[in-house]
């Protein structure tokens, strides 16, 4: 019934899903949040919002041009989780927050988030819909130069626009927090932003800032699965050195 | 909106479509593949409808700006003129539409993209300032990779290519695979959280 060559990966996927479900349910039932390591980039979010309030300058947030489909969807969702957090904090401290939306499907989601965070202070202009990547880059270059943002968040599935958004933010003197799981954009995020979140750091960001038990539970499962993957890699390496090619098992 | 409409329906839609897409990849069940193909067609149809409603919303939004003469209303007028010009020319004179696209839109886009070159230079300057050990390693690796792609260095110092290729094939490859595994695990985690109803970012 299972397609040829996919047996091993299917079993691994089922184990992974089972572990995630178990640890999410277990953590929620236990009610005690697990300890996770400090992520400076996420701790800096509050600092950046505070700086925007002190200086009276705006905050800009972008999830890049990655949408809600395909393999980038989880990164966009993680970016939106953090947008929700930033919107609530900005509303609490009465900071000016603008979301640069480059994907039409995200606009209504962001509107809902802003409406529930800012309530009567919500203004439609807070969500700036810019339809293409080129237009986004052109808009940002001018907008950041004029508005001189205090904080710039680039969190999500970032593409080629990263360099423009991050460099424009750096030129404006904004405190920048960037994060993506897209491999080719990671160097730009790390080199141009004050705080960078690499790959899975972005995906656990929602858990980190919300401290929600279900999300924290999935972090434990990720660590266990990562240990399994590392174990399998070491086993393949050692056995490979001894002349046994176990990589064939992975392709059963 | 009621609780049922807000939370349960999006969750059910996600769960059903997710499981069908996932299982059709692993299982040799023709029915699942057929359903998946059908769902993909639905996505295309819904996107087309969304484009239509988007056009109406765009006209209403910019129409209001022009009627109320809000600041920047001339931009809305330009939008309507461009939209009508393209729309009419696509049917009346397709070659003119191509001309508009190739001779106006494309050069403008390229001009904007050219800005990235200047931003790249200043970004590189920022990145190469050796502020800590991480930045030093980054600068060291980048210098060798630049030497790899500038053929003169290979002629003067053939060892640079060896070092650069080693950087690409060993530390870079290892780190890349680590990132890929991390993203894959995070992806499964988010999918499971959405399935269990704990992740609700996509519902606003």
């Amino acid at each position: 019934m299972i397609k040829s060559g996919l047996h091993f990966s299917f079993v691994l996927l089922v184990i992974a899903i089972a572990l995630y479900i178990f640890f999410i349910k277990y953590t929620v039932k236990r009610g005690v949040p697990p300890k996770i390591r400090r992520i400076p980039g996420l701790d800096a979010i509050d600092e950046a919002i505070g700086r925007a309030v002190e200086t009276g300058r705006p905050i800009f947030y972008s999830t890049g041009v990655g949408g809600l489909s395909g393999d980038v969807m989880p990164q966009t969702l993680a970016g939106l989780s953090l947008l929700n957090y930033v919107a609530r904090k900005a509303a609490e401290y009465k900071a000016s927050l603008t979301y640069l939306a480059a994907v039409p499907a995200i606009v209504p989601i962001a509107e809902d988030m802003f409406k529930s965070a800012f309530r009567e202070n919500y203004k439609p202009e807070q969500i700036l819909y810019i339809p293409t990547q080129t237009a986004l880059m052109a808009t940002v270059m001018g907008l950041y130069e004029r508005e001189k943002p205090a904080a710039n968040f680039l969190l999500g599935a970032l593409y080629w626009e990263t360099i423009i958004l991050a460099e424009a933010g750096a030129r404006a003197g904004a405190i920048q927090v960037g994060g993506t799981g897209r491999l080719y954009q990671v160097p730009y995020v790390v080199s141009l932003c004050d705080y960078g979140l690499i790959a899975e750091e972005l995906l656990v960001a929602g858990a980190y800032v919300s401290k929600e038990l279900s999300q924290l539970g999935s972090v434990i499962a990720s660590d266990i699965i990562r240990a399994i993957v590392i174990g399998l890699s070491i086993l393949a390496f050692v056995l490979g050195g001894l002349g046994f090619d176990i990589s064939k098992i992975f392709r059963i | 909106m009621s609780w049922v409409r807000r939370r349960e329906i999006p969750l059910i839609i996600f769960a059903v479509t997710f499981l069908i897409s996932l299982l059709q990849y692993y299982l040799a069940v023709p029915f699942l593949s057929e359903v998946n193909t059908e769902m993909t067609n639905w996505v295309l149809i819904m996107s087309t409808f969304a484009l239509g409603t988007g056009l109406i919303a765009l006209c209403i939004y910019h129409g209001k700006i022009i009627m109320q003469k809000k600041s920047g209303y001339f931009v809305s007028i330009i939008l309507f003129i461009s939209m009508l010009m393209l729309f009419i020319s696509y049917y009346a004179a397709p070659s003119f539409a191509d001309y508009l696209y190739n001779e106006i839109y494309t050069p403008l886009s390229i001009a904007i993209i050219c800005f990235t070159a200047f931003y790249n230079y200043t970004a590189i300057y920022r990145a190469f300032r050796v502020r800590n050990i991480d930045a030093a390693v980054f600068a060291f690796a980048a210098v060798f990779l630049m030497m790899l792609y500038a053929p003169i260095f290979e002629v003067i110092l053939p060892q640079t290519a060896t070092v650069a290729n080693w950087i690409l094939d060993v530390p870079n490859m290892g780190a890349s695979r680590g990132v890929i595994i991390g993203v894959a695990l995070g992806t499964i985690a988010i999918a499971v959280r959405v399935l269990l109803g704990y992740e609700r970012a996509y519902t606003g």
Side-chain angles (χ1 to χ4, degrees), chain A residues 190-194, chain B residues 126-133 135-136:
Chain A
V190 172
S191 59
L192 290 172
C193 295
D194 299 294
Chain B
R126 243 179 262 281
F128 281 10
R129 279 181 303 177
V130 181
R131 292 168 295 184
N132 50 37
I133 188 79

Side-chain angles (χ1 to χ4, degrees), chain A residues 23-242:
Chain A
F23 278 103
I24 288 171
K25 292 279 181 195
Y26 171 74
T27 314
V28 171
K29 199 176 169 188
R30 194 163 160 247
V32 180
K35 215 175 171 184
I36 56 173
R37 75 174 167 87
R38 236 186 110 245
I39 303 175
L42 295 171
D43 292 334
I45 290 178
D46 289 352
E47 182 196 330
I49 297 169
R51 189 174 149 184
V53 176
E54 279 171 16
T55 55
R57 280 153 57 192
I59 303 167
F60 285 99
Y61 194 109
S62 173
T63 49
V65 298
L68 287 169
S69 59
D71 59 343
V72 297
M73 187 192 85
Q75 294 174 46
T76 311
L77 280 183
L80 287 173
S81 283
L82 285 171
L83 173 65
N84 200 18
Y85 176 78
V86 172
R88 284 174 198 283
K89 282 278 174 192
E92 191 183 328
Y93 298 123
K94 296 190 170 43
S96 156
L97 171 67
T98 304
Y99 173 59
L100 305 166
V103 179
I106 299 177
V107 174
I109 298 171
E111 275 176 349
D112 261 11
M113 283 178 182
F114 275 58
K115 277 177 190 167
S116 62
F118 286 90
R119 296 180 188 275
E120 67 278 2
N121 295 324
Y122 166 73
K123 287 182 225 129
E125 299 83 49
Q126 283 183 288
I127 293 158
L128 201 61
Y129 172 56
I130 307 145
T132 64
Q133 190 182 37
T134 318
L136 175 70
M137 294 194 291
T139 308
V140 162
M141 282 190 281
L143 192 67
Y144 283 19
E145 201 60 44
R146 289 190 301 275
E147 303 276 332
K148 301 280 181 209
N152 185 28
F153 295 105
L154 306 167
L155 299 157
L158 306 174
Y159 283 72
W160 194 39
E161 71 282 0
T162 315
I163 190 159
I164 293 287
L165 268 69
E167 180 56 21
R171 284 180 181 204
I175 183 165
Q176 303 204 95
V177 181
T180 188
R182 294 202 69 252
L183 215 52
Y184 295 110
Q185 303 306 326
V186 169
Y188 292 126
V189 165
V190 172
S191 59
L192 290 172
C193 295
D194 299 294
Y195 299 95
L197 304 173
I198 302 171
E200 213 197 338
E201 284 180 338
L202 171 71
L203 299 169
V204 299
Y208 190 90
V209 294
S210 69
K211 311 277 183 230
E212 210 178 288
L213 292 171
S214 65
Q215 301 209 22
L216 291 168
S218 67
V219 178
I220 306 175
S222 288
D223 282 352
I224 291 169
I225 299 162
R226 195 178 293 107
I228 294 171
V229 172
I230 291 170
L232 282 173
S233 306
I234 293 170
L235 190 71
F237 174 74
V238 172
L239 290 178
L242 295 171

Side-chain angles (χ1 to χ4, degrees), chain B residues 67-147:
Chain B
M67 298 288 272
Q68 293 165 2
K69 286 198 174 171
K70 283 186 180 173
S71 71
Y73 72 98
F74 62 90
V75 181
S76 300
I77 295 173
I78 294 171
L79 172 96
F80 274 113
I81 294 169
S82 322
M83 202 163 67
L84 279 171
M85 247 167 74
L86 265 177
F87 187 75
I88 293 165
S89 59
Y90 261 117
Y91 288 97
S95 59
F96 182 62
D98 289 343
Y99 173 81
L100 289 174
Y101 190 85
N102 295 330
E103 306 300 329
I104 296 177
Y105 177 76
T106 308
L108 285 173
S109 296
I110 292 169
I112 292 295
I113 289 165
C114 287
F115 275 110
T116 55
F118 300 104
Y119 274 61
N120 261 315
Y121 292 131
T122 50
I124 288 166
Y125 167 72
R126 243 179 262 281
F128 281 10
R129 279 181 303 177
V130 181
R131 292 168 295 184
N132 50 37
I133 188 79
D134 295 352
V137 172
F138 184 67
F140 176 80
V143 165
F144 270 99
L145 286 174
M146 282 196 291
M147 286 163 108

Side-chain angles (χ1 to χ4, degrees), chain B residues 173-189:
Chain B
M173 186 67 80
S176 304
R177 286 181 180 163
V179 169
I180 291 166
I181 291 170
V183 171
L185 288 178
T187 303
I188 300 171

